Amino acid sequence: MPSTLRRRGPPAPDPPASESPSEPATPRDESPAKPGEKVKIVHHRARPRKRGVTAIFLLGSLFGLIGAGFFAKNNDLIAFPEIGELSMDSLFDVLPATFMRDIRDLVAGERDFLESYDAFSVGTKVRSEGCEAYHPMVMVPGVISTGLESWGTSNVSRPYFRKRLWGSWTMMRALVMDKENWKRHVMLDKVTGLDPPDVKLRAAQGFDATDFFITGYWIWNKIIENLASLGYDSTNSYTAAYDWRLAYRHLEVRDHYFSRLKSHIEMSVRMHGKKVVLTSHSMGSQVVFYFFHWAASDQGGKGGADWVDRHVDSWINVSGCMLGAAKDVAAILSGEMRDTAQLNAFAVYGLEKFLSKDERSEIFRAMPGLSSMLPMGGNAIWGDLDGAPDDQPGQALSFGSFLNFRTDLNWTTPSFNLTIDDAMTYLLDNTDDWYRDQIKGSYSHGVAKTTAEVEANEHKQEKWVNPLETRLPLAPNLQVYCFYGVGKPTERGYFYRSPEMGSLTSLNMTIDTALTQGEVDHGIVMGEGDGTVNLMSTGYMCNRGWKLKRFNPAGVKITVVEMPHEPERFNPRGGPNTADHVDILGRQMLNELILRIAAGKGDMIEDSVVSNIREYAAKAKVYEE
C-alpha cells in the first residue's frame, strides 16, 4: 500500500531574500501492508529544497575532520580545526564574509524543518494499522554519536565540569580556544587505554545522549519520535549509550557497561513479560555482537548459553560494520580519509596548521574503540593482488590491491602494493608499542575454518568482536534483521606516497591526493557501500557468513533488506529516501520496519536484496567446513 506520509521542508531563512520557499512534501518508500507481502522499494523523484549552498559546503568540510572521518563521513560529526598560532580574529578574517551568517542560517533552517516536519507521521500510520508498543526496546548507538561529558574536578577540567567535550557547541569552542586541553581530555591513556591522569570523560546517558549530535543535527531523534507514536517512552525503551573511545573489554572494566546492559534487559523482561528488541547502528552492532558472547560466557555475565534466547526476541542490525571498514586503516595510518583528501589547497593548509595529520593520527590511535573497525577477514574477504570478490568487469585495478604506491614518488613507503593482510601487518609494525599492544589485546581479524576453532574462540575475549571467528548465540528463537544502505560510493582502496621532502612529520606516508584518473579520485579508490562502510562489511555476514553452520549453529533466522541511496538534491540530510550511513536513521522505510518489529509484526518482513552482494559473497574464500 503506498504511503501517505507527507514531508514539508523548512521555510527559507530570512536573510537571503533571493532564496525560494520550501518545496512540497515528497513520497516515501512503500511498506508492506499485509503478511506475506514482500518489502519493496518505490523510487520517487523529488523537487529540490533550496538551502544556503555555501553553508552546506563549508559545514560539510568541517564534518569528519576530527572524529574518525573513517566512521564519520561528513555527516557523522562536526570537528572545528584550530589554526595554530592565528588568533580568532585572523581565523574569521580568512573565512568567507558570509560564512557565519550561512552557518546560522543552516542551523536555523534545520531547526525550522524539525518544527515543521510532521515528525510522528510514520508512527501514526503504523499505529493506524493496528500496531502498538509490544516488545521493550533497547537502542545501541554507533561510533562517535554518543556525547561525552567531563566529570573531572582537577584544575584542567573544572571549566568543563558536566559539559560535553564531544557532541556539542562546547566541543567546538574548546577545540578552537583550548585545543591542547581538549586533546588531553578526549585522548585515552596510551598505556592503559583508560582515563589519563586528572581527566574523567563519561558517556552522556538517556535519550539526550544520542538523539542529536549538536542542536539541529539529529541522529536517533526520528526513531525515538516514531516509537513514541506507538506508545513507547522511558519506561519501555532505553538508550544504551557508551564511551566509543574505549576498547570493548574496557567498557566493562571501567564503566561496567555490559553488566548494566544485561541487568536492564533482564529487568525489562521481568517487568513487561516480553523479550526485548535490540536495535543497533554502525559500531553499535559490533557492541551488540560482543555483548551476546559476554552475557553467556563464564568470563563475562555468566548467563549461560541460552541467555540470549530467553531475553532477546530480535536484533535489528542497521548499517552494521560487522567486518570493519577500509577507511579505518587510512585514518589510523595517516590521519586521513576521503573528506580530507578532497579539500582544496587553502583548506588543506588551514587544516594542517590547525590539526595536522600527525595530530589526527595520534588522536585516532589513542581511542582504541575506533580501531575495532579495522577490516576483519583479511584477504579471504577483501581480496588479494590477483582479484577481489567485488571487482567489477573491466576494472583496471583490483580492490584486492588495497594500498598502492607510485614508485617514482616514494622513498619511505613499501616498494610494492599491499593487500588488506599486508596493510594490517604494516600498520602494526609501524606504530608505537602501546598502540600495537592495545589492538592485539583487544581485537582479532582472522577467519576460523572449523567448528572446533569457533567453539574454542568462545573463551577468548579478543575474538568476540569478529563474526568470522565466533558464532551467533545459541538462540534458535532469535531473529536478526539486517537493514543497510547501498548505492553510495565508498572508500575501498588508496594510493599513498612519501611525505614532502623536509616536511616535519613522523608519518611514513600520506595519501597521494594529486592522483585523479579512472577509478581513482584524489588518491582514493571508490567501491560500493553506504558512503562510510563497504558493502562487503555490511552485507557479507547477513547474506552468506551466517548461513554457514559453524557461524550460526542454532539456525538463527536472518532477514536482509537493502535500501538504495536516492537522496533529494540540495537536502543536506538526503531526505526520506537516503541510504547514507548515518542519515538512514531518518529514512522513513527504515523507521516503519523498526516499528513493525517492535510491535511484534516482524514476521511479515521478507528479504529484499538489490545489490550484487550475494554474488560477491559467494566469491569470498570462506568455505563450509
Side-chain angles (χ1 to χ4, degrees):
M1 182 193 313
S3 169
T4 58
L5 177 63
R6 296 181 62 81
R7 173 175 182 159
R8 293 173 290 164
D14 294 336
S18 61
E19 288 194 0
S20 63
S22 58
E23 297 293 341
T26 60
R28 60 184 172 86
D29 302 286
E30 185 175 9
S31 301
K34 56 180 181 291
E37 183 178 33
K38 187 173 181 178
V39 174
K40 296 180 180 179
I41 310 296
V42 178
H43 304 268
H44 297 285
R45 294 292 180 185
R47 295 178 63 188
R49 180 164 55 93
K50 294 186 178 179
R51 187 66 70 86
V53 177
T54 302
I56 294 170
F57 174 76
L58 291 171
L59 190 56
S61 296
L62 296 178
F63 274 37
L65 291 185
I66 297 181
F70 50 105
F71 289 98
K73 45 147 258 18
N74 56 355
N75 284 344
D76 288 6
L77 63 104
I78 295 180
F80 205 123
E82 171 180 296
I83 304 179
E85 300 174 355
L86 296 181
S87 68
M88 283 300 294
D89 289 339
S90 56
L91 169 62
F92 290 118
D93 284 343
V94 300
L95 293 174
T98 59
F99 174 76
M100 293 309 294
R101 187 200 69 188
D102 287 339
I103 290 297
R104 285 193 296 268
D105 290 345
L106 178 61
V107 173
E110 282 297 307
R111 186 181 299 113
D112 291 341
F113 171 76
L114 289 168
E115 292 173 355
S116 64
Y117 173 58
D118 193 357
F120 308 100
S121 295
V122 175
T124 301
K125 173 183 179 295
V126 174
R127 189 181 184 97
S128 71
E129 297 172 2
C131 295
E132 59 184 15
Y134 187 79
H135 293 287
M137 290 290 293
V138 176
M139 292 165 280
V140 183
V143 63
I144 68 91
S145 58
T146 297
L148 303 177
E149 56 191 25
S150 175
W151 283 83
T153 58
S154 64
N155 289 337
V156 297
S157 297
R158 286 178 183 176
Y160 302 112
F161 183 72
R162 295 210 56 206
K163 295 180 180 178
R164 291 193 186 182
L165 288 177
W166 191 270
S168 71
W169 295 107
T170 299
M171 171 193 77
M172 299 177 69
R173 288 194 297 269
L175 183 54
V176 171
M177 307 299 292
D178 194 14
K179 184 182 78 170
E180 292 303 321
N181 198 20
W182 178 84
K183 286 174 54 181
R184 179 177 179 179
H185 278 75
V186 299
M187 294 169 61
L188 294 169
D189 185 275
K190 294 178 178 178
V191 176
T192 66
L194 300 170
D195 293 326
D198 300 323
V199 169
K200 189 177 184 181
L201 244 58
R202 294 294 181 266
Q205 297 299 309
F207 300 116
D208 288 345
T210 60
D211 56 350
F212 290 89
F213 183 74
I214 61 170
T215 304
Y217 188 85
W218 53 262
I219 302 178
W220 282 80
N221 177 259
K222 307 295 185 187
I223 292 175
I224 294 171
E225 287 175 341
N226 286 307
L227 284 172
S229 297
L230 286 195
Y232 283 96
D233 54 36
S234 58
T235 64
N236 55 1
S237 60
Y238 171 70
T239 298
Y242 57 95
D243 188 340
W244 41 267
R245 302 173 303 155
L246 292 167
Y248 296 161
R249 61 190 174 108
H250 286 154
L251 282 173
E252 179 64 20
V253 169
R254 196 197 73 178
D255 296 348
H256 309 293
Y257 174 78
F258 296 116
S259 292
R260 291 188 291 112
L261 178 56
K262 179 173 177 283
S263 295
H264 179 86
I265 292 173
E266 291 171 342
M267 180 181 67
S268 295
V269 172
R270 288 196 302 269
M271 289 177 57
H272 300 283
K274 302 177 183 68
K275 293 191 283 188
V276 305
V277 169
L278 280 166
T279 303
S280 60
H281 174 247
S282 187
M283 176 182 178
S285 295
Q286 286 192 344
V287 172
V288 168
F289 188 73
Y290 185 98
F291 169 70
F292 284 158
H293 296 288
W294 182 92
S297 175
D298 288 339
Q299 300 177 37
K302 299 179 172 61
D306 64 343
W307 185 91
V308 174
D309 203 42
R310 289 185 288 113
H311 293 89
V312 182
D313 176 82
S314 304
W315 171 29
I316 305 174
N317 168 17
V318 180
S319 303
C321 51
M322 301 312 302
L323 298 182
K327 63 194 305 181
D328 199 8
V329 176
I332 301 297
L333 184 63
S334 61
E336 299 172 288
M337 68 289 300
R338 183 187 184 190
D339 301 279
T340 60
Q342 294 183 346
L343 294 175
N344 61 37
F346 174 79
V348 169
Y349 173 79
L351 177 59
E352 288 303 306
K353 293 286 289 184
F354 208 39
L355 202 68
S356 69
K357 288 191 285 283
D358 292 65
E359 289 180 295
R360 299 196 302 268
S361 179
E362 181 188 23
I363 291 172
F364 296 154
R365 296 176 190 182
M367 297 176 173
L370 301 182
S371 293
S372 67
M373 273 79 71
L374 288 169
M376 288 172 271
N379 293 359
I381 294 293
W382 303 96
D384 53 32
L385 299 181
D386 295 325
D390 51 336
D391 281 347
Q392 301 301 302
Q395 187 170 314
L397 177 70
S398 171
F399 289 139
S401 185
F402 180 60
L403 299 186
N404 305 281
F405 308 93
R406 291 194 287 176
T407 55
D408 57 328
L409 295 179
N410 299 290
W411 48 280
T412 63
T413 62
S415 57
F416 50 88
N417 295 343
L418 305 181
T419 65
I420 282 282
D421 279 342
D422 298 332
M424 291 292 293
T425 300
Y426 181 86
L427 174 64
L428 295 179
D429 286 348
N430 288 273
T431 47
D432 294 325
D433 291 345
W434 60 265
Y435 176 76
R436 183 165 56 253
D437 293 343
Q438 285 285 341
I439 301 311
K440 289 186 174 180
S442 302
Y443 309 118
S444 181
H445 304 91
V447 177
K449 298 180 180 179
T450 66
T451 298
E453 187 178 353
V454 168
E455 291 302 320
N457 288 340
E458 292 299 311
H459 305 288
K460 302 175 182 178
Q461 293 191 32
E462 72 275 10
K463 305 285 188 180
W464 291 350
V465 71
N466 186 350
L468 287 169
E469 292 188 293
T470 54
R471 54 168 168 75
L472 282 172
L474 301 178
N477 297 301
L478 175 69
Q479 297 189 73
V480 175
Y481 298 90
C482 298
F483 303 148
Y484 56 88
V486 296
K488 187 170 184 181
T490 305
E491 293 170 51
R492 185 62 173 84
Y494 302 88
F495 274 82
Y496 269 90
R497 62 172 174 79
S498 299
E500 293 83 359
M501 292 292 292
S503 60
L504 300 177
T505 178
S506 61
L507 300 173
N508 292 334
M509 60 176 70
T510 184
I511 291 178
D512 190 356
T513 57
L515 179 59
T516 297
Q517 63 182 40
E519 299 153 345
V520 185
D521 181 10
H522 290 81
I524 314 293
V525 181
M526 304 303 292
E528 297 178 68
D530 63 10
T532 296
V533 180
N534 310 93
L535 180 58
M536 289 298 290
S537 179
T538 54
Y540 176 81
M541 294 306 302
C542 301
N543 288 280
R544 178 167 174 82
W546 285 327
K547 304 296 174 65
L548 302 181
K549 183 69 174 177
R550 66 182 180 276
F551 299 131
N552 185 5
V556 174
K557 181 183 178 183
I558 314 294
T559 301
V560 182
V561 177
E562 294 185 335
M563 303 182 189
H565 183 55
E566 297 176 327
E568 293 179 347
R569 294 186 61 193
F570 304 118
N571 187 324
R573 303 303 300 276
N577 294 321
T578 181
D580 171 85
H581 183 68
V582 172
D583 295 340
I584 196 174
L585 292 173
R587 185 182 179 112
Q588 293 167 356
M589 179 184 181
L590 175 69
N591 276 249
E592 286 193 18
L593 295 178
I594 290 174
L595 296 190
R596 295 185 191 282
I597 296 167
K601 308 293 185 181
D603 289 341
M604 68 188 299
I605 301 171
E606 296 187 1
D607 287 353
S608 178
V609 178
V610 298
S611 74
N612 294 323
I613 182 58
R614 290 175 176 169
E615 174 187 337
Y616 303 155
K619 295 179 182 178
K621 297 177 181 178
V622 180
Y623 308 109
E624 284 280 11
E625 185 175 356

